[in-house]
Amino acid sequence: DARHAGFNDLHFFSVMVDAAAKCKDLLAAEKWFEKALDAGLEPDLVLFTSMVDAACRAGDVRAAEYWQGRAQTAGFEPNKVMLSTLVKGAALAGRKDKALRWASRASEEFGPDLVMLNCVIDIHARDPETIHDAEAILENDIISKSLQPDERSFGPIINAYAEKGNFERASAYFRQMVDLHHIPPSVIQYNQLLKACARCRPPLAREAEKLFDELMALDAEQRRNKFKTRDLRPTRITLKSLGRCIGARRLSQICEEHQLDQGTLVSNFNASKQKRESTQIEQRLYEPMSRSWQKK
């Protein structure tokens, strides 16, 4: 019994729900919520938001909306953090309609916000039919409204065109990001551009080599300065995309020229590592949402 155990602090139960959420264990989160009630505590907006987050991380959008509704019944209107959590959860679950509905509500109630707009850009950019909507949001709702775009504003659009093999459009947004808005790139954008080169027919070998040389030059400059601000070291994905453009023999020559251990980069890669890297990319896209709004 929670009361006999001495756990009468609502913050304790919020922490336990958060821990269950990070393990994607919605059932455990719900049990801790019930234990808070058993302890005679009245749930607050923080605890309800934690339950919404637990449902979203478990991929259960219906449960997330249930907990949002339960919070509203208890007298708590959703704040930016809860709304952003709902947008994130719906987007990751592939429920684009719900994600956009919650994003629209957040915009109406709290005004434009870069992190939320970046999330909506990513939602539209994942669908080839709505890539132009993503471009319109970047231009009309961020740049034209004097909001400072960042890597997450451009990255989804660059990747969307790279997936289609449209190097010209992907490169144009990359150069706009770097040259016009002075946003430092990472290896992720270079990998996206190399993928665009590889998907062209025929593959753009010359452009791919230029991109790789540019990436290596930036990495060397960063290492000379001994101040690492972004990840610029080539990855297995970098070499794979470059190799598809220039061939295995030329790839080996380039790796030798740059003193890269091609074998190590490839052999150190496995499926579980790829899954972790994908998760980290998603976190980079979505987690700043809650951190930035919690400060407000």
Side-chain angles (χ1 to χ4, degrees):
D1 190 296
R3 289 170 294 184
H4 296 152
F7 299 138
N8 57 1
D9 181 1
L10 194 59
H11 174 70
F12 166 80
F13 291 99
S14 294
V15 170
M16 297 308 296
V17 169
D18 285 338
K22 290 178 180 178
C23 296
K24 300 182 180 180
D25 191 339
L26 178 57
L27 182 60
E30 290 174 338
K31 286 181 178 179
W32 279 108
F33 184 91
E34 293 302 323
K35 287 181 180 181
L37 298 183
D38 292 341
L41 299 174
E42 290 290 334
D44 61 3
L45 183 58
V46 174
L47 185 56
F48 278 117
T49 301
S50 295
M51 288 305 307
V52 171
D53 183 52
C56 288
R57 288 176 183 262
D60 193 335
V61 178
R62 180 178 295 181
E65 293 186 331
Y66 162 79
W67 284 105
Q68 181 275 326
R70 189 161 167 178
Q72 200 157 2
T73 300
F76 299 107
E77 291 295 326
N79 59 8
K80 281 186 176 182
V81 177
M82 184 180 285
L83 289 175
S84 72
T85 303
L86 287 162
V87 172
K88 174 181 66 175
L92 293 178
R95 296 302 307 271
K96 178 180 177 180
D97 55 335
K98 291 182 178 292
L100 293 177
R101 178 165 59 85
W102 287 114
S104 176
R105 178 171 175 177
S107 178
E108 290 173 1
E109 295 186 9
F110 300 103
D113 183 277
L114 178 64
V115 180
M116 178 61 75
L117 289 171
N118 285 350
C119 184
V120 177
I121 286 175
D122 183 68
I123 292 169
H124 283 305
R126 290 172 184 263
D127 184 350
E129 299 297 323
T130 57
I131 177 61
H132 297 303
D133 293 329
E135 294 176 285
I137 292 170
L138 175 61
E139 179 60 37
N140 300 329
D141 297 326
I142 296 180
I143 297 175
S144 295
K145 297 292 177 61
S146 299
L147 290 175
Q148 178 59 48
D150 59 18
E151 179 185 341
R152 300 174 187 88
S153 308
F154 287 92
I157 299 176
I158 295 172
N159 188 61
Y161 280 115
E163 289 283 351
K164 297 169 67 174
N166 191 333
F167 175 75
E168 182 179 357
R169 294 293 292 168
S171 180
Y173 275 104
F174 175 78
R175 295 304 170 191
Q176 182 182 354
M177 180 185 87
V178 175
D179 299 336
L180 184 59
H181 295 281
H182 309 292
I183 301 170
S186 71
V187 69
I188 294 173
Q189 284 81 53
Y190 282 97
N191 287 348
Q192 290 167 345
L193 291 179
L194 288 170
K195 176 171 60 178
C197 291
R199 295 194 174 188
C200 288
R201 292 294 177 267
L204 305 179
R206 181 179 301 176
E207 289 82 353
E209 282 203 38
K210 287 182 178 178
L211 284 169
F212 187 76
D213 288 341
E214 181 179 318
L215 172 63
M216 295 304 298
L218 287 173
D219 181 55
E221 179 183 2
Q222 182 171 257
R223 285 186 284 113
R224 282 195 302 271
N225 294 336
K226 298 181 179 180
F227 185 70
K228 184 174 181 178
T229 58
R230 57 202 186 281
D231 188 4
L232 291 167
R233 292 293 293 168
T235 65
R236 172 190 178 271
I237 297 173
T238 313
L239 298 187
K240 179 181 178 181
S241 298
L242 180 60
R244 288 173 59 191
C245 296
I246 63 177
R249 182 177 178 181
R250 178 59 182 149
L251 177 62
S252 296
Q253 292 174 343
I254 288 179
C255 287
E256 185 175 346
E257 291 171 5
H258 290 282
Q259 298 180 333
L260 289 175
D261 190 339
Q262 182 181 355
T264 300
L265 279 173
V266 173
S267 64
N268 285 345
F269 183 86
N270 54 50
S272 61
K273 182 177 179 181
Q274 183 182 42
K275 184 177 180 179
R276 288 196 302 272
E277 289 177 348
S278 298
T279 301
Q280 290 168 357
I281 291 173
E282 288 180 347
Q283 289 174 341
R284 290 180 63 188
L285 285 170
Y286 294 111
E287 284 193 351
M289 206 176 290
S290 59
R291 288 200 303 266
S292 65
W293 285 344
Q294 284 170 344
K295 295 177 181 177
K296 295 180 180 181

